[in-house]
Amino acid sequence: MIKLVILGAGNVAYHLTQAFFKSPNISVVQVYNRSIEAIHHLSKKTKITTNLKDIVVADVYIISVSDNVIPEIASKLSFKNKLVVHTAGSISIKKIKTTSNRGVFYPLQTFSKSKKVDFSTIPICIEAENEADKNLLNTLAKEISNNVHTINSEQRKQLHLAAVFTNNFVNHLYTMGQEICEQNNIPFKILLPLIKETAAKLDFLNPYQAQTGPAKRNDTKTLQKHLKIVPKNKEEIYKLLTKSIQKTYGN
Amino acid sequence: MIKLVILGAGNVAYHLTQAFFKSPNISVVQVYNRSIEAIHHLSKKTKITTNLKDIVVADVYIISVSDNVIPEIASKLSFKNKLVVHTAGSISIKKIKTTSNRGVFYPLQTFSKSKKVDFSTIPICIEAENEADKNLLNTLAKEISNNVHTINSEQRKQLHLAAVFTNNFVNHLYTMGQEICEQNNIPFKILLPLIKETAAKLDFLNPYQAQTGPAKRNDTKTLQKHLKIVPKNKEEIYKLLTKSIQKTYGN
């Protein structure tokens, strides 16, 4: 039985806590958050606290809070020979200033509290500073996911950047598609099968091979037509991404 | 029984032909293509030809070729009281110069010959110039899809633009994610659950609500970190999309 304290109650902390509750080999012995509101609903299932001085003894401490608060919270966990990890994509393992060992437990997924997630397929990127800790994190990760990877801090920073392109920026392009639809009385849901197929294709083709469209085939007539109707606030993005696709495919 | 001639053998024509072959109420009486190679495999199932003078009589002619060849091919179909349609997103119904009636039959999906598609969920956007033709196209579309919409030429042009943002540009961002992964010895497949969840979320949240990430929450520390490591050929795109997200959420 691995004893766990979870620190934080944001989207990642919330879903991690729920996932670990379901695991028979993990005991979430405590959840900390600076305000009580976000953790009050957990009081029937585990100890809760808003005071870092009351943190109990456990094997692993998972800090899942805003990036800039991680060092401060870690520094207040004055245990020895325990493992303190954070869950952030772009924060080095070295930012964890602690008297215990340190590591990273980064679930690479987009979380909203209102949307259930299936943790078993979520990649968990782990990092530790010795073999024993790596094994411990590996065991912990495998309790909730079948998709565990050892990724160092430098790679994780790059992976987080890649995630910004493929998640944050992609979602913003969805928003632009939605705006164009709404401005023309077209239901946005018409685009959903296309959007899903664009993602699903990646099981069969890599995105470089999967590229289609007027920029890829250098169809200047269609590109001109689009430039005439593209809304002002999207024109620069249309031009820049078109140019980038043309360059990529040597047009 | 609706008699159909399909003109073209590209990705859209290929998948449409396969879908209509399966429909018991549709008879694909002929497939035309300018070169024989791409249609030879159909010779056991229907008539094939490379000569526009040999086109047989049918109820509907579906022209599914490159945008710029549509007017030329339509002009050579010298039938009367038939229905000639194209399958293009950004071409007006008026570009079909024909002695017959005209219409549009636009399946809004990304097609690769190597990837099977389930036509039943693909939105088909139809347009016609009278009620009878609209009904005919509606019947035809419903034979292969449960997702049929009446969309006029102006809307269709805008929808095509929205599809460029949500499919072509999105796929290019996937390619950028793949490049960043490869340059850092990270398997790109780690990103696939995130990519799919980003698309799947749209069943529950609209993309405006679903936005997350450092640009949305104006996390300038992470943005600065990313600017230090983003590859040169992706820097401008990173900056422009970040700025656009910040503007959208009033940062």
Side-chain angles (χ1 to χ4, degrees), chain B:
Chain B
M1 182 72 80
I2 303 173
K3 285 186 185 171
L4 217 61
V5 171
I6 294 172
L7 300 105
N11 290 341
V12 177
Y14 172 83
H15 285 288
L16 267 182
T17 305
Q18 297 303 322
F20 281 124
F21 276 154
K22 284 184 204 137
S23 164
N25 303 312
I26 308 288
S27 173
V28 180
V29 294
Q30 191 178 41
V31 175
Y32 156 89
N33 194 52
R34 64 181 165 179
S35 76
I36 194 78
E37 292 76 17
I39 53 172
H40 194 261
H41 69 284
L42 301 172
S43 62
K44 277 180 191 157
K45 291 199 139 187
T46 187
K47 288 195 199 95
I48 59 170
T49 182
T50 59
N51 191 339
L52 285 170
K53 285 179 188 152
D54 294 340
I55 299 291
V56 300
V57 175
D59 302 305
V60 184
Y61 296 83
I62 299 185
I63 304 177
S64 186
V65 297
S66 303
D67 290 2
N68 52 333
V69 201
I70 293 171
E72 186 197 327
I73 290 193
S75 71
K76 288 186 179 155
L77 300 174
S78 51
F79 302 99
K80 290 225 166 114
N81 299 317
K82 303 301 180 189
L83 183 55
V84 177
V85 304
H86 73 61
T87 61
S90 69
I91 302 288
S92 165
I93 193 172
K94 301 213 165 74
K95 289 279 178 186
I96 303 174
K97 306 293 182 196
T98 174
T99 50
S100 283
N101 291 354
R102 55 196 182 180
V104 178
F105 193 92
Y106 171 48
L108 179 55
Q109 190 49 284
T110 167
F111 298 99
S112 308
K113 274 187 189 159
S114 59
K115 167 95 171 62
K116 273 195 186 171
V117 292
D118 170 15
F119 243 101
S120 67
T121 60
I122 294 178
I124 300 195
C125 303
I126 59 170
E127 180 179 4
E129 293 182 310
N130 64 58
E131 248 350 82
D133 288 348
K134 201 176 117 177
N135 289 339
L136 176 55
L137 287 182
N138 193 43
T139 303
L140 194 65
K142 285 197 166 152
E143 282 295 322
I144 56 174
S145 166
N146 303 315
N147 198 350
V148 183
H149 302 264
T150 302
I151 295 282
N152 67 37
S153 285
E154 187 48 45
Q155 286 176 311
R156 187 161 28 79
K157 205 159 70 177
Q158 297 280 357
L159 185 56
H160 187 247
L161 176 67
V164 165
F165 276 89
T166 54
N167 164 249
N168 300 161
F169 290 171
V170 159
N171 186 74
H172 189 54
L173 292 179
Y174 294 163
T175 305
M176 298 196 149
Q178 184 189 25
E179 287 171 359
I180 293 169
C181 283
E182 280 173 0
Q183 283 152 9
N184 294 281
N185 298 315
I186 305 162
F188 174 60
K189 72 168 170 37
I190 292 191
L191 284 170
L192 290 188
L194 176 66
I195 284 173
K196 286 181 190 169
E197 176 71 7
T198 307
K201 256 190 174 182
L202 300 180
D203 285 337
F204 303 90
L205 292 170
N206 74 49
Y208 178 85
Q209 299 166 322
Q211 189 66 50
T212 56
K216 158 82 184 292
R217 59 176 190 270
N218 211 18
D219 172 356
T220 48
K221 260 194 180 173
T222 301
L223 296 174
Q224 288 304 326
K225 257 189 230 177
H226 282 169
L227 282 174
K228 275 188 200 151
I229 62 166
V230 68
K232 262 276 158 284
N233 67 341
K234 297 170 181 66
E235 190 180 348
E236 217 183 333
I237 289 171
Y238 185 92
K239 283 183 180 168
L240 188 59
L241 285 167
T242 294
K243 200 174 71 181
S244 179
I245 294 172
Q246 289 174 318
K247 261 192 200 167
T248 303
Y249 295 92
N251 294 332

Side-chain angles (χ1 to χ4, degrees), chain A residues 24-39:
Chain A
N25 303 313
I26 307 289
S27 173
V28 180
V29 293
Q30 191 177 41
V31 175
Y32 156 89
N33 195 51
R34 63 180 166 179
S35 76
I36 195 79
E37 290 78 15
I39 53 171

Side-chain angles (χ1 to χ4, degrees), chain A residues 128-146:
Chain A
E129 293 182 311
N130 65 58
E131 240 3 73
D133 288 347
K134 201 174 116 179
N135 289 339
L136 177 55
L137 287 182
N138 193 43
T139 303
L140 194 63
K142 285 197 167 151
E143 283 294 322
I144 55 173
S145 166
N146 303 317

